[in-house]
Amino acid sequence: FAPGQYVTLRAHREGTEIRRAYSLCSTPRQLDADGTLRIGVRTVDGGRLSPYLARELAPGDTLDVLAPQGHFTTPLDPGHHRRHYAALAAGSGITPVLSLAATALATEPTSTFTVVYANRSAASAMFTEELADLKDRYGRRLHLLRLFSRETHHIGLPHQRLDAPTLRTLLAGPLPAAVVDTWFLCGPQAMVGGARDVLAEQGVAAATIHAELFHTQPDTPPAPAEGTRAPHPGAELTLRHGGHTSTVPVQPGQTLLDAGLAHRPELPFSCLNGVCATCRARVVGGRAEMASNWTLTEEEIADNYILTCQASPLTPTVDLDYDVV
Ligand code: FES
């Protein structure tokens, strides 16, 4: 897998299949060295899977783990000279950043990594020891800035949330945008969206920014795409996945994922909310439209990628290819 990617876990609880995406916090090197694959789980009150994982899952139990996925990563190469990576992470958003920082620092001996990590308090922060270990190992090559919204002020920032004013202060001080080659933004939608806006206002190229959302705010869904049209009734979906092609009907009210799953239950999905991109596929024939998209970039959309869990057909036939990367 690539650092920054996630796996989807599949479990059956009380007769229902549950899938959730969890970022990998371990590194590809650890997997090669001792077969370790680690995820970070923060217990969500009322959650359907995380309380089980945190409190009940025991050695000997079995979970299905789907193949690693995700584009929250960047090519790393020992030949890269003095690259500077910067990550802005809030809460459990540190999980993939831990893997990215550890891998980048180990792979590229002259590169540096800045991690800005925001939490309510030190007690609520994840991976404190792992970050301290990385700092011990890499010294000045890892710059760690920690922000706490409910604790004492730090490094003179106006306040400690990782919001637009704080980011502007960081960019004017310890983290000038001009010295950063690649950005990673990971956390709630408000933080990631706000950071994108501030970086854009500082002239940071969108192509250098990688973003991953950890959860969305259901009360502020993204606006439907301009010119949203009614789904085509009685459409036919042809999908290619795992080298096999199937043609299936799309019933009224079904998403393309719903229609596909009725005949191909192995199709990938996780959040069903337009957040994780596990269900991503490419439209190679016909047209479809998403009700919601929190994760695909403008480039991916221009390239005809779509979140099938959010997609409805606009034409009598739609062809999807899941096998393209
Ligand atoms: S299943 Fe997560 S975006 Fe579709």
Side-chain angles (χ1 to χ4, degrees):
F1 70 96
Q5 287 193 307
Y6 64 88
V7 290
T8 296
L9 301 189
R10 183 168 62 187
H12 290 87
R13 306 286 298 151
E14 296 161 359
T16 310
E17 181 186 292
I18 304 169
R19 297 189 186 202
R20 292 288 182 275
Y22 289 94
S23 286
L24 293 157
C25 57
S26 55
T27 65
R29 285 181 181 222
Q30 288 169 310
L31 183 61
D32 288 344
D34 57 19
T36 304
L37 204 57
R38 293 178 68 209
I39 58 171
V41 178
R42 169 158 275 168
T43 309
V44 177
D45 287 338
R48 297 179 66 202
L49 191 58
S50 62
Y52 165 71
L53 295 177
R55 298 177 194 131
E56 293 177 48
L57 188 69
D61 292 347
T62 302
L63 284 172
D64 293 331
V65 182
L66 278 61
Q69 283 190 296
H71 303 274
F72 187 62
T73 190
T74 193
L76 298 169
D77 190 311
H80 287 164
H81 185 59
R82 297 175 71 86
R83 293 247 171 123
H84 186 181
Y85 302 95
L88 310 178
S92 54
I94 193 66
T95 310
V97 169
L98 188 63
S99 180
L100 283 162
T103 306
L105 292 167
T107 306
E108 302 185 358
T110 60
S111 293
T112 54
F113 210 114
T114 297
V115 177
V116 180
Y117 182 24
N119 282 281
R120 287 183 191 156
S121 65
S124 67
M126 297 170 73
F127 299 118
T128 300
E129 277 181 30
E130 286 82 354
L131 288 167
D133 286 348
L134 272 189
K135 181 69 186 159
D136 285 347
R137 186 177 313 160
Y138 294 107
R140 292 163 64 97
R141 291 179 54 217
L142 174 63
H143 191 199
L144 191 54
L145 286 167
R146 305 196 54 188
L147 307 178
F148 301 115
S149 59
R150 297 190 184 169
E151 286 184 4
T152 317
H153 284 193
H154 181 56
I155 67 167
L157 293 170
H159 56 79
Q160 300 300 109
R161 304 187 83 83
L162 187 39
D163 56 11
T166 302
L167 183 52
R168 287 194 191 100
T169 304
L170 287 169
L171 296 172
L175 187 58
V179 305
V180 176
D181 297 293
T182 303
W183 293 87
F184 298 99
L185 316 178
C186 191
Q189 193 274 335
M191 182 228 115
V192 170
R196 264 192 202 280
D197 291 346
V198 172
L199 292 176
E201 113 200 347
Q202 301 271 333
V204 174
T208 67
I209 302 173
H210 302 268
E212 183 101 317
L213 295 185
F214 265 38
H215 53 84
T216 59
Q217 296 157 309
D219 52 334
T220 57
E226 203 176 316
T228 297
R229 283 144 292 187
H232 193 284
E236 194 172 71
L237 168 65
T238 297
L239 65 94
R240 181 167 174 268
H241 179 254
H244 298 290
T245 301
S246 308
T247 298
V248 303
V250 184
Q251 305 296 344
Q254 280 189 321
T255 64
L256 297 184
L257 177 66
D258 292 334
L261 283 172
H263 299 263
R264 298 284 300 270
E266 80 281 12
L267 292 180
F269 71 90
S270 184
C271 71
L272 297 178
N273 266 332
V275 175
C276 70
T278 305
C279 65
R280 175 182 182 266
R282 192 173 193 181
V283 178
V284 293
R287 284 182 297 121
E289 191 163 68
M290 290 183 284
S292 165
N293 165 39
W294 298 90
T295 181
L296 294 184
T297 62
E298 286 175 14
E299 289 76 19
E300 286 175 301
I301 293 169
D303 239 1
N304 294 325
Y305 284 98
I306 203 159
L307 301 173
T308 60
C309 75
Q310 300 295 315
S312 303
L314 293 180
T315 46
T317 60
V318 176
D319 298 344
L320 285 183
D321 190 346
Y322 282 86
D323 291 344
V324 287
V325 182

